[in-house]
Amino acid sequence: MSLTAAIFSNIIIYMPELPEVETIITDLNQKIKGDSIVDFWSDWKKSIKTPFEKFVREIKGKKILSASRIGKNMFINLSDGKTIYIHLKMTGHLLVKSQIPNPKSQKAGKDYFSEKVNQYIHHIFYLKSGRTLEFSDLRKFGKIILEDTDKIKKAKEIRNLGTDVMDKVFTPGKLNEILGKRKTKIKLLLMDQGKIAGIGNIYASEILFEAGILPSRPTDKINQEERKKLYKSIKKVLLKAIELRGTSDSDYRDTAGAPGKFQEVLKVYRRTGRKCPRCGTIIQREKIGQRGTFYCPVCQK
């Protein structure tokens, strides 16, 4: 997935980042906007951070007005001023299922829902249309909170976020302001959700390759022309990842249970020992802030 790496029992897992969450939000607005919640089931109530009985009582009968996000935080906005706040954490993803078979899926012979990665269902929202919104989460670290819509941005996790990279306020000038004269390594700054919200480990490596900047460069050593190029690279890489519906390097799947395709066009991430697609130099790997970081020592300065 696109994605911040974490290691459990020598298994590398990736947290969905902005392109993956944006893909899910787009799907939800297309598939369940206007529907209503009639019931809810869970076999892992620890994930529900609102008292369970209150959560179920207050979402039943509510109409789904829209889905939105800030960084990698997801919101399902309901009638009567309520919002369901969802964080997928490391292995979570949302699936929308219908009682009515999808002819296109049948014709293509694809049944993604039956794949093992989509079988860890711990929460189900039952909708009036007969559809279900299901939360598959292998590690069970995801969280669900019910909050008043007008208080969402005041929640600690949201209040402490930096500027969302796809927000209209994220301009070249804003990026320059965030970078400032900090001496932090540029890759660490790009991944600092308190400064810039939405960029994960894979996209940081790909963005810096696109911009021609070494991940270990101190931010204050990046000149104005490079900063302009960095801004363009952030937009280019993330928009391409959104177009390809995210990166499925591990557990991430879209609401149809299908994988994204950005992993098919990765240029440096997890390509250690392979040739750089630009100059043919061997791609290198090093750890920066305990994260595997990938780069071309010739194309990036």
Side-chain angles (χ1 to χ4, degrees):
M1 358 183 152
S2 271
L3 322 160
T4 303
I7 300 178
F8 289 87
S9 304
N10 298 319
I11 299 174
I12 299 179
I13 298 173
Y14 302 92
M15 183 182 292
E17 297 289 344
L18 188 151
E20 291 72 47
V21 175
E22 180 67 22
T23 298
I24 293 171
I25 291 300
T26 299
D27 282 0
L28 295 181
N29 280 319
Q30 291 175 346
K31 295 180 177 182
I32 66 171
K33 181 178 178 179
D35 213 330
S36 297
I37 300 171
V38 296
D39 208 350
F40 178 75
W41 168 89
S42 176
D43 71 353
W44 191 251
K45 296 179 182 179
K46 290 182 181 180
S47 297
I48 315 300
K49 304 307 179 183
T50 303
F52 188 76
E53 292 74 16
K54 177 182 178 182
F55 179 83
V56 177
R57 182 175 67 251
E58 296 197 3
I59 66 171
K60 285 178 71 171
K62 297 296 190 296
K63 184 177 181 179
I64 298 169
L65 303 180
S66 66
S68 57
R69 65 156 193 84
I70 299 176
K72 53 193 175 187
N73 302 276
M74 306 174 60
F75 309 103
I76 298 177
N77 304 302
L78 308 177
S79 56
D80 292 341
K82 295 293 183 180
T83 290
I84 300 171
Y85 167 25
I86 297 175
H87 198 301
L88 300 172
K89 294 296 183 177
M90 295 175 183
T91 60
H93 54 278
L94 297 178
L95 304 170
V96 177
K97 299 180 182 178
S98 176
Q99 294 179 335
I100 303 172
N102 185 332
K104 290 184 179 179
S105 296
Q106 289 184 331
K107 187 176 181 180
K110 297 289 184 180
D111 180 16
Y112 290 114
F113 293 137
S114 66
E115 293 183 357
K116 188 173 182 179
V117 71
N118 294 319
Q119 295 297 303
Y120 302 98
I121 306 299
H122 296 293
H123 318 287
I124 302 176
F125 295 87
Y126 294 92
L127 306 181
K128 187 177 181 180
S129 65
R131 294 185 180 91
T132 54
L133 174 61
E134 306 185 11
F135 195 152
S136 179
D137 189 4
L138 170 63
R139 296 283 173 173
K140 298 190 285 191
F141 289 159
K143 69 177 182 180
I144 304 173
I145 303 170
L146 184 66
E147 184 57 274
D148 292 337
T149 303
D150 60 3
K151 293 181 180 178
I152 282 294
K153 291 185 179 180
K154 298 175 184 177
K156 182 180 178 181
E157 301 93 332
I158 307 304
R159 190 175 67 245
N160 292 339
L161 286 176
T163 305
D164 187 293
V165 288
M166 299 309 291
D167 194 296
K168 62 182 180 182
V169 302
F170 186 72
T171 62
K174 184 63 177 179
L175 176 62
N176 191 49
E177 176 188 323
I178 293 168
L179 300 183
K181 296 182 179 180
R182 291 185 170 89
K183 299 182 183 298
T184 311
K185 291 179 180 179
I186 184 59
K187 181 173 184 260
L188 293 180
L189 186 58
L190 288 180
M191 293 180 61
D192 183 345
Q193 300 301 300
K195 302 291 189 302
I196 303 173
I199 298 175
N201 196 35
I202 289 179
Y203 297 119
S205 288
E206 293 295 304
I207 286 165
L208 290 170
F209 174 75
E210 188 68 33
I213 298 172
L214 278 173
S216 58
R217 280 267 299 277
T219 301
D220 64 344
K221 301 299 182 184
I222 299 174
N223 64 41
Q224 290 300 315
E225 285 304 310
E226 290 175 315
R227 291 180 181 211
K228 290 177 183 177
K229 190 171 183 180
L230 177 60
Y231 176 83
K232 292 179 180 178
S233 298
I234 290 171
K235 292 292 188 178
K236 180 179 179 180
V237 169
L238 295 182
L239 286 171
K240 185 64 175 179
I242 291 169
E243 178 188 339
L244 294 178
R245 300 182 64 77
T247 305
S248 290
D249 202 47
S250 182
D251 292 77
Y252 164 72
R253 297 295 185 272
D254 66 17
T255 62
K261 294 184 177 181
F262 192 73
Q263 67 273 10
E264 298 174 8
V265 299
L266 291 169
K267 295 178 179 177
V268 292
Y269 183 79
R270 292 186 70 179
R271 291 179 59 84
T272 311
R274 300 186 191 181
K275 292 183 178 181
C276 169
R278 286 182 184 163
C279 71
T281 302
I282 299 300
I283 298 298
Q284 303 294 310
R285 179 187 186 277
E286 67 175 275
K287 274 193 175 182
I288 296 179
Q290 302 305 310
R291 308 290 188 183
T293 302
F294 305 84
Y295 63 95
C296 172
V298 172
C299 291
Q300 293 170 254
K301 304 294 183 183

